[in-house]
Amino acid sequence: NRAPVSAGPSGAPPSSFAPTQTATTTLSFHQEYRIQCSPVPVSATSLSSDGTLLALGSVEGSISLYDLEKKSVVKQFSEVHDLPVTCMASRPVPSALMMPGEAEGGVNFDAVSASADNRFGRYTLQKRSRIKTVKPPRSARRKSAVEVYLWELMRIPLLLVLLLAIVAVRDTMDICSEEFGLSTLVMDSGASARRCLYREVLWAEESRVSFLPQ
C-alpha cells in the first residue's frame, strides 16, 4: 500500500522533500617533511594509538615499522607474505598494557598484518623475550667401549704411581725434614733439599743398599 502524497503550491514537491543546506568545513594542512619509507608501493598502513609508530605493508609482502619521532624505519621484515599486504593494524594500546598471549610469551607485538595468501603476521621491536629460558641440565655423556677399555687398562698403573708418590712424600718428611725446613731453604736456595730428595729418597747409592745380588 502506498500513502498519497499531495503536491505543494504550483505543483512543487512538498516541503518535506525540499533540499536542505549543510554546513561545510574547509580543512587545511601543510607538509612538514617528505621521505621515502619503502622502495615499492605501499598497499596498507596503520598508525599506533600513541602516534609514534607507523606500520607499512608493501605490494611485495614486506613489512616496515616506521618511527615518526626518529623519522626512519626502525625495523623491516622482508617478503613475509607471498602476495601484497591487504591489512595492517598497529598496536591499539600502549606497550605497558598486555594483550592476549603476550604475557605467556614475554613479547609485546607492535603490529599485525594479513594478506590474500592466508597468512597472519605479528611483529615486534623487542630483541628478546622478557621470560628467561631455563636450559635443561646436560645428561652425562655415555662412554664408548674404547674409553672404558683404556680406563680399565690404565687404572692399575695410575694407582701404583699414586701409591709411590705417597710413599715418597712420607720418606721425604721422615728423612729430609731438616733440609726442607724454612731456614734451610732460604739459606741455600733449596740445594740441600734437592740433594737429600735425590740421594736419600729417590735414588740410593750402592753403599747404602742392604742387599746386593751375588
Side-chain angles (χ1 to χ4, degrees):
N1 298 331
R2 295 182 179 180
V5 178
S6 59
S10 303
S15 59
S16 60
F17 290 93
T20 57
Q21 295 181 355
T22 58
T24 59
T25 303
T26 303
L27 301 178
S28 61
F29 67 94
H30 65 280
Q31 179 178 306
E32 293 186 358
Y33 65 94
R34 187 174 183 179
I35 190 171
Q36 181 180 353
C37 301
S38 175
V40 296
V42 174
S43 56
T45 62
S46 179
L47 182 64
S48 61
S49 60
D50 55 1
T52 60
L53 190 68
L54 182 64
L56 306 172
S58 66
V59 295
E60 66 177 6
S62 299
I63 306 297
S64 300
L65 300 181
Y66 185 85
D67 193 325
L68 295 176
E69 295 179 348
K70 298 179 180 179
K71 300 179 181 180
S72 62
V73 176
V74 292
K75 206 164 188 180
Q76 188 171 10
F77 305 87
S78 301
E79 299 181 2
V80 293
H81 292 286
D82 296 333
L83 297 175
V85 180
T86 57
C87 180
M88 285 295 308
S90 295
R91 187 175 184 85
V93 296
S95 299
L97 301 177
M98 294 292 177
M99 297 182 65
E102 293 181 341
E104 294 79 4
V107 176
N108 288 6
F109 296 101
D110 297 284
V112 295
S113 68
S115 176
D117 60 355
N118 294 330
R119 290 182 180 177
F120 178 81
R122 297 189 295 179
Y123 313 97
T124 180
L125 295 176
Q126 288 184 219
K127 295 182 178 180
R128 60 180 62 88
S129 174
R130 295 184 302 272
I131 301 176
K132 295 182 179 180
T133 57
V134 179
K135 295 182 179 180
R138 293 184 178 181
S139 57
R141 186 177 66 88
R142 188 175 181 180
K143 296 182 179 180
S144 63
V146 176
E147 292 176 340
V148 174
Y149 174 76
L150 292 177
W151 169 247
E152 294 294 335
L153 188 64
M154 296 296 295
R155 184 170 59 177
I156 296 178
L158 289 176
L159 292 176
L160 292 177
V161 171
L162 179 60
L163 180 61
L164 292 176
I166 294 174
V167 173
V169 172
R170 186 197 62 184
D171 293 345
T172 302
M173 298 303 296
D174 293 341
I175 302 174
C176 304
S177 58
E178 296 182 0
E179 287 78 359
F180 277 90
L182 181 60
S183 58
T184 307
L185 291 175
V186 173
M187 291 178 61
D188 60 358
S189 300
S192 59
R194 291 193 298 270
R195 189 182 307 107
C196 180
L197 179 64
Y198 177 74
R199 296 283 185 179
E200 303 293 337
V201 178
L202 298 180
W203 186 263
E205 298 178 355
E206 291 185 0
S207 59
R208 296 180 59 249
V209 177
S210 59
F211 172 77
L212 290 176
Q214 298 293 332

